Amino acid sequence: MAEDDTDILSDIWYNIGNIYIVMGDLEMAVQAFNLSLQYLPDNTEALNNLAVISDRQGNTDWAINYA
């Protein structure tokens, strides 16, 4: 359960990012995960997904930064 509004908003943007991944829109997924991190900077799931997307796009240095 979310403890406050920032946790809820972070979770909402994280879930929206996952929807964009399923739709194949990685650019929008990255934006959604970054919004998730604005509300909860230590959202490990959002950070992990950003690392995976970066790695798949060949941005290994960025992936390491997110991991």
Side-chain angles (χ1 to χ4, degrees):
M1 300 268 326
E3 294 179 11
D4 58 32
D5 289 342
T6 57
D7 288 346
I8 293 169
L9 290 169
S10 179
D11 287 345
I12 289 169
W13 282 111
Y14 169 76
N15 289 329
I16 290 171
N18 285 326
I19 292 168
Y20 279 123
I21 287 176
V22 171
M23 293 172 47
D25 192 341
L26 297 182
E27 183 177 325
M28 290 301 295
V30 167
Q31 289 182 22
F33 294 135
N34 281 323
L35 283 169
S36 174
L37 293 172
Q38 285 184 2
Y39 292 103
L40 187 64
D42 61 347
N43 184 331
T44 55
E45 292 90 357
L47 289 167
N48 180 68
N49 285 0
L50 285 170
V52 170
I53 290 170
S54 294
D55 185 57
R56 288 185 181 170
Q57 292 177 333
N59 299 324
T60 307
D61 292 336
W62 283 99
I64 292 169
N65 287 333
Y66 285 123

